[in-house]
Structure formats: structure tokens, C-alpha cells
Amino acid sequence: MAFPQTRMRRLRASARLRGLVRETELRAGQLVLPLFVSETLQSGSEPVATMPGVERLSLAAAVEQAGEAAALGLAAVMLFGLPAEKDAQGSGAWDEHGVVQLAVRAVKQAVPELLVITDVCLCEYTDHGHCGVLAESHPPRVDNDASVELLARTAVSHARAGADVVAPSDMMDGRVGAIREELDGEGFAETPILAYSAKFASAFYGPFREAADSAPAFGDRRGYQMDPANGREAVREALLDVQEGADMVMVKPALSYGDLIAAVKRATSLPVAAYNVSGEYAMVKAAAAAGYLDERSTVLEILTSLRRAGADTVITYHAKDAARWLAEHT
Ligand code: PBG
């Protein structure tokens, strides 16, 4: 039946009717807040110029943020570390007393009910800023298999510190399988892996690299991160991570990748996460500050649309604000 028998507007007539037929719910418990913890900050925090409202945190400030996240009902924080020193191998990444390891322990001790997810990568710890170690070649190339070994070591050190979930973001081949094997061998068979499965070489990571001081010193990440033009390959990446033992898969960035969130959701039966990345956050912040967009309704629309596309979990720098807005009842 078509018009006039069918009138789509009937079910849009009131807030109650719209609520009755709403297909997608957004809850604070589905959101993850990324935090940047700096080893050089003894106390307090410092603003990140490219991400208004986001700060680099001392350990104490990170614990405070985690407490707020828990009080707001957020699912988890995702920790990124800024070490005081970097080297060619990125050895700070698996240091038992490294910045992330210390932060995990401090947060779990202060706020045990909050989940702590750790980003597993070398780029914040290498002096060249790449996500793995370099092979001796010209031009320099990231050595996949050597990097995988160090990433697995890093994941175990996070689990040992008390991380609830480890999330490899490096895009080396075979790292999920290697991390699973190493975790199991070291007594962490119960620690889940959230794999950054379809992570694209994206301009939208620009503000993050300023926050985490992780821009590559030469070249770019296109030799390991995915080509934004490739959708079928994203599904293939996700399926490989499933095969290697991932517990959750991720699509990143989120906003211009809704088709792939949906495709990965259809292709696997695993929970799917979407990472609403730094550039996506910065765009909204800049437009809101200029008075071009209403921040609250824009953010809630974005997060709802990522859920609608198929994301069970959304990692977002807007997480605390979103939780507050959701609690106010929209
Ligand atoms: C580390 C990592 C990056 C992001 C998450 N983990 C940066 C990158 O790959 O260059 C990006 C997050 C964001 O932009 O918010 N490899």
C-alpha cells in the first residue's frame, strides 16, 4: 500500500511514538573514553592544541579522569602512553614500569569496576614514530615479523599490569594470533583482544599524532595501514583477525566508514567497535566553537548513526559529554 493509505508521519507524531519505534539505542555503557597519559607530567595535565577539551594527563590526572568516566557510566577508558624517552625498538612499550603499565595499575586500583583497554602499538615509543621496528633496507621499511614479536610482548606486559582488554592498533600481519598465543602462554587466556582490524591510513588521525607525539619522522603509514579506497579488503582483514582469535573487531575511522562497519557486522558474529577518531572529534569541536553546529545534537546524532551502522561499541573523545547528555534525557 502506498499513499494515502500509507503515511510514514503517523509514527512520528510525538516523542512517545518516536520512542516506541526507535530502532537504535545509545547508552553510556557502550562508549569508551581514550586517555593520553604522559610520563613527563608529574602532576596535573596540559591541553592538546588540536583537540579542544582533551588533555595529556599525569598519572594522578588519569586516575581522576577514570573516576569521572566510571561515575558517568562509561564502559571503559582506552589508555595511550607518552613515554619520557623513545628508542629505535620502542622498548618503553613493554617496560614493566612504563607509563601505560603504571597507569593501568593506578586506574585499576582506584576504580576497579571500570574496564581498562590498552592500545597496543609501538608508534608512541619509537624514535622514528612508526608502528613497528625498521628493517635494514633502503628506503626503510617496517619489519612485520620482528614487530609482531615486540607487540606480543607489549600486550602481555599490559595484561600483567591488569589491563582488562588489549587492543592492537599497529596493523602488522599476524599480530592478533601472536598476541593470543603469547597471552595464553603467560597465563592470560581470559584477556580479550579487541583488534583494530580495518584501520585505514587516514588524514583524520592528524590531531591524535599531536596529542600522542607519534607522527612518523619520515614517510607515512600506507605500507601497513589500509587504503581508504578498499572495502572488501576491510572485511578480509576482519575475517583474518577472527581466525587468529580476536574477541572483538574494530573499524577505524568511523564517520566516513559506516559502510564498512555494516559490512564487517554482517560478515562476522563478533562484537564490532568503531573508533570515532581525533580528526572527527576536532571537526565537530571547531564547527561548534565557530557557531556553525550545535555540538550536543551533532555528537548524539553521530554516535547514534555509528550504532545504527552496526557498532556495538564506540570509542570517542566525546564520551563524557555524551554520557552527561544521555543522562539528561533527550
Ligand atoms: C596508534 C594509534 C593511532 C590512533 C590510535 N592508535 C594513530 C595512528 O595510527 O597514526 C589514532 C586515533 C585517533 O586519531 O583518534 N597506532
Side-chain angles (χ1 to χ4, degrees), residues 125-139:
Y125 303 89
T126 51
D127 49 18
H128 47 76
H130 280 286
C131 300
V133 289
L134 302 180
E136 297 206 11
S137 62
H138 293 284

Side-chain angles (χ1 to χ4, degrees), residues 48-109:
V48 174
T50 50
M51 301 174 72
V54 173
E55 297 173 309
R56 289 192 207 90
L57 308 164
S58 61
L59 270 185
V63 168
E64 202 181 306
Q65 286 288 320
E68 280 181 35
L72 286 164
L74 296 179
V77 289
M78 177 177 251
L79 299 183
F80 293 90
L82 285 81
E85 278 166 39
K86 307 186 187 226
D87 59 30
Q89 302 279 305
S91 63
W94 60 86
D95 181 351
E96 211 186 311
H97 304 289
V99 58
V100 161
Q101 289 79 357
L102 293 180
V104 172
R105 286 192 200 96
V107 169
K108 286 309 291 184
Q109 189 176 8

Side-chain angles (χ1 to χ4, degrees), residues 119 121 123 169 199 205 208-209 221 225 252 278 317:
D119 181 88
C121 195
C123 67
S169 69
K199 178 175 177 181
Y205 306 154
F208 171 97
R209 292 181 188 166
R221 303 209 200 289
Q225 297 180 348
K252 177 190 174 189
S278 57
Y317 303 95

